Amino acid sequence: MAEMGMGKGVTAGKLASNVQKKLTRAQEKVMQKLGKADETRDVAFEEGVINFNKQYTEGSKLQKDLRAYLAAVQTMHESSKNLQECLSDMYEPEWYGKDDLDSIVEDTDVLWTDFHQKLVDNALISMDTYLGQFPDIKSRIAKRDRKLVDYDSARHNHSSTNKGKKGKDGGIKITKPASLLERATPVWAQGILSAHNIAQSNLSRNQAEDELERAQKVFEEINEDLQEELPSLWNSRVGFYISTFQSMSGFEEKFHKEMGKLDQNLYDILVKLEKQDMSGELPRGADPANHTMSPGGPPPIPKSPSKLRPAMPPRPESSPCRDMKPENIINLFDAAAAPNISVTSPTQAVSWDTWEADTLTTPAAPTPAAPTAAAPTPAAAAPEETPVVAAAAAAAATNGDSETVEMPPGFLFKVTTMHDYAANDSDELEMKAGDIVLVVAFDNPEEQDEGWLMGMKQEDWIQNKQSSLKGVFPENFTSRL
């Protein structure tokens, strides 16, 4: 218990001493601001403190910007890596320079990693070490300011203690009794009391001198150290900036030089790939215009429409009645040209499409009035329909199918599905093998991609007309009728 009490006493005494110091310093600062006490000033040291604060602020900003720069380098590394890995994944093995491209991607990643690590080791770590010395010096500057206030307070206390204690001749000045105790003291004891007061004054004077010497010693020790360190620290900033930015510039120069070589190698590979593509040496896969059935299963599906500007597919062959001259159409009903159509059995009637095919293969009888019509071509222009053509079409319809199917707007031709096709997108048409599809023109020709047609199932059109489902489908899954 005694030890605990003594410990508490020491702690309380130390706490009281600290509180007393703070009160004394605060009182001294107030007296200095009011002009009632002089303040010790050191202009050279104050300039050093200003430079120190400026240097600390600039260094902190440089450290922050350097960290942001390194973060940007790391982000650029990740972005570059992802981009080149994407190129490597898309680059097909049979294309020119596949192995060289993969090597370039790997070397680029290694180069980015090495560049970032060198910046961290030679710039960021040096920056952290450089700024690490500032907090300690800053705390010592604050301590020096406190000790300077203690020194001024001790100096003023010593001055006030010695003031008025000596006479004009330098001897001790004995004051007259002023207190009631002194007045009540007998005459013969007046001298003893005065001697006691003089002894007390001498003791106070000695204590003030000791306190002044002690405060001056502490202040001068810390002041001398800072007087040497602050100018040295201020001058060191030049060399630090030079070494830091020289290192960064050297690393960046080497990095960009090596990166330029890799970029040039990649560029050369792509140039040769372009020549290979232009010469037709790249494997193209199945021809989208090939409608024959593949022995191993359905043909490859062409790439989904990309909404680019592909070439339009060739228009379907025109009907012979639109390509032949009016005067030759009459010859189609001659005995040699008319198809063998049975009107007594509707189930055996030949359809209009069959009649059209037979007409193309059966030559018309020549007449003196007009030459034989040339075979129709896709590019032939359709002349204006005449009454003769209309009559021929009506007769063929009467002698042909008993039921005429109205075709959808923009109808081009029919196709039959050779393989099942499952739609992969909402704008695609799902088909089963054997389906008859009515091919129609695209609303916007620019939306048609090579190898793709637009149409609807014939059965769906007959049942639902305008509400039937229309979509795109791969042409090489079908065969034209």
Side-chain angles (χ1 to χ4, degrees):
M1 295 295 293
E3 293 179 356
M4 292 181 60
M6 183 171 57
K8 292 183 178 180
V10 172
T11 303
K14 191 173 182 179
L15 178 62
S17 177
N18 293 334
V19 172
Q20 182 62 38
K21 287 182 179 179
K22 291 182 179 180
L23 292 176
T24 303
R25 289 167 185 165
Q27 181 180 2
E28 181 66 22
K29 296 295 293 183
V30 171
M31 296 295 291
Q32 291 176 355
K33 290 182 179 180
L34 294 176
K36 296 184 178 181
D38 60 325
E39 180 181 2
T40 303
R41 303 291 299 272
D42 189 340
V43 178
F45 183 83
E46 292 175 358
E47 291 180 354
V49 172
I50 294 175
N51 293 336
F52 170 83
N53 292 331
K54 178 182 178 182
Q55 185 179 1
Y56 193 15
T57 301
E58 292 176 349
S60 300
K61 184 179 184 303
L62 178 59
Q63 182 188 46
K64 179 181 178 181
D65 294 341
L66 181 58
R67 290 183 181 274
Y69 174 74
L70 290 176
V73 170
Q74 184 69 24
T75 302
M76 188 63 188
H77 176 198
E78 295 296 331
S79 300
S80 175
K81 181 180 179 180
N82 294 337
L83 182 62
Q84 292 202 339
E85 286 181 350
C86 180
L87 173 61
S88 178
D89 293 340
M90 296 187 300
Y91 209 92
E92 299 184 6
E94 63 271 15
W95 292 359
Y96 175 83
K98 170 60 175 175
D99 295 337
D100 293 337
L101 183 136
D102 292 340
S103 178
I104 291 175
V105 172
E106 182 178 356
D107 292 343
T108 302
D109 181 44
V110 173
L111 185 60
W112 273 107
T113 302
D114 181 68
F115 175 57
H116 181 268
Q117 189 60 44
K118 286 183 177 179
L119 289 176
V120 171
D121 295 340
N122 296 273
L124 183 60
I125 295 180
S126 298
M127 188 76 223
D128 294 342
T129 304
Y130 170 74
L131 284 182
Q133 56 189 333
F134 282 82
D136 177 66
I137 297 178
K138 184 176 181 180
S139 64
R140 290 163 59 196
I141 292 175
K143 183 177 180 180
R144 185 253 185 200
D145 292 340
R146 295 193 300 270
K147 296 306 178 183
L148 178 59
V149 175
D150 293 341
Y151 169 71
D152 286 341
S153 177
R155 183 168 53 85
H156 296 152
N157 183 38
H158 179 268
S159 177
S160 62
T161 302
N162 292 333
K163 185 178 181 181
K165 298 301 180 181
K166 294 184 179 180
K168 296 181 180 180
D169 56 355
I172 301 299
K173 181 179 180 181
I174 302 176
T175 58
K176 294 182 179 180
S179 62
L180 296 176
L181 179 61
E182 292 177 347
R183 293 178 182 179
T185 303
V187 177
W188 58 270
Q190 290 288 337
I192 298 175
L193 184 59
S194 298
H196 174 74
N197 292 335
I198 293 173
Q200 288 293 334
S201 300
N202 292 336
L203 180 61
S204 300
R205 190 182 310 114
N206 293 335
Q207 290 178 348
E209 290 179 358
D210 293 341
E211 183 180 351
L212 176 60
E213 291 177 359
R214 185 169 54 254
Q216 183 176 2
K217 181 180 179 180
V218 174
F219 169 73
E220 289 180 351
E221 286 179 356
I222 190 172
N223 183 64
E224 289 176 359
D225 294 339
L226 291 175
Q227 292 282 5
E228 295 178 358
E229 293 182 18
L230 290 181
S232 176
L233 180 64
W234 172 252
N235 295 332
S236 68
R237 75 191 192 285
V238 180
F240 172 76
Y241 295 157
I242 292 174
S243 63
T244 300
F245 283 96
Q246 276 185 345
S247 299
M248 292 181 60
S249 300
F251 295 145
E252 287 186 354
E253 180 186 10
K254 182 178 179 181
F255 168 77
H256 289 299
K257 184 182 296 183
E258 297 297 327
M259 185 63 70
K261 293 179 182 178
L262 294 176
D263 289 339
Q264 183 62 47
N265 294 338
L266 177 60
Y267 180 83
D268 294 340
I269 291 175
L270 296 177
V271 168
K272 293 181 180 179
L273 177 64
E274 182 183 18
K275 293 180 180 179
Q276 187 181 15
D277 181 50
M278 296 292 292
S279 62
E281 298 177 4
L282 288 179
R284 301 292 183 178
D287 185 2
N290 183 14
H291 304 297
T292 59
M293 295 181 63
S294 173
I301 302 175
K303 294 182 178 181
S304 180
S306 58
K307 308 305 179 183
L308 301 177
R309 299 176 63 88
M312 288 292 295
R315 296 181 61 83
E317 297 181 358
S318 303
S319 174
C321 65
R322 291 185 176 274
D323 294 328
M324 302 179 65
K325 294 183 179 181
E327 58 269 22
N328 291 334
I329 296 177
I330 301 176
N331 295 331
L332 295 175
F333 302 97
D334 292 343
N340 186 14
I341 304 175
S342 176
V343 297
T344 60
S345 178
T347 59
Q348 299 178 356
V350 181
S351 66
W352 175 261
D353 293 336
T354 306
W355 180 88
E356 178 180 333
D358 292 341
T359 305
L360 291 175
T361 58
T362 305
T367 60
T372 303
T377 62
E384 182 179 359
E385 186 174 359
T386 63
V388 178
V389 176
T398 303
N399 297 328
D401 295 338
S402 59
E403 181 180 357
T404 301
V405 178
E406 180 185 359
M407 295 301 172
F411 170 75
L412 299 176
F413 53 88
K414 298 181 181 181
V415 295
T416 181
T417 305
M418 308 299 294
H419 305 278
D420 293 346
Y421 176 72
N424 297 321
D425 205 345
S426 60
D427 63 342
E428 296 181 6
L429 182 66
E430 186 164 340
M431 305 180 300
K432 299 292 184 182
D435 288 345
I436 303 298
V437 181
L438 306 179
V439 179
V440 297
F442 280 76
D443 296 336
N444 184 3
E446 295 182 356
E447 296 182 354
Q448 182 176 5
D449 282 85
E450 183 179 359
W452 289 80
L453 299 176
M454 173 74 76
M456 61 194 70
K457 295 181 182 179
Q458 178 175 276
E459 181 181 0
D460 189 16
W461 166 256
I462 294 175
Q463 295 178 359
N464 302 314
K465 295 299 180 182
Q466 299 296 336
S467 61
S468 58
L469 180 64
K470 182 172 66 174
V472 296
F473 58 90
E475 183 180 5
N476 57 351
F477 271 55
T478 62
S479 177
R480 184 167 172 176
L481 293 178

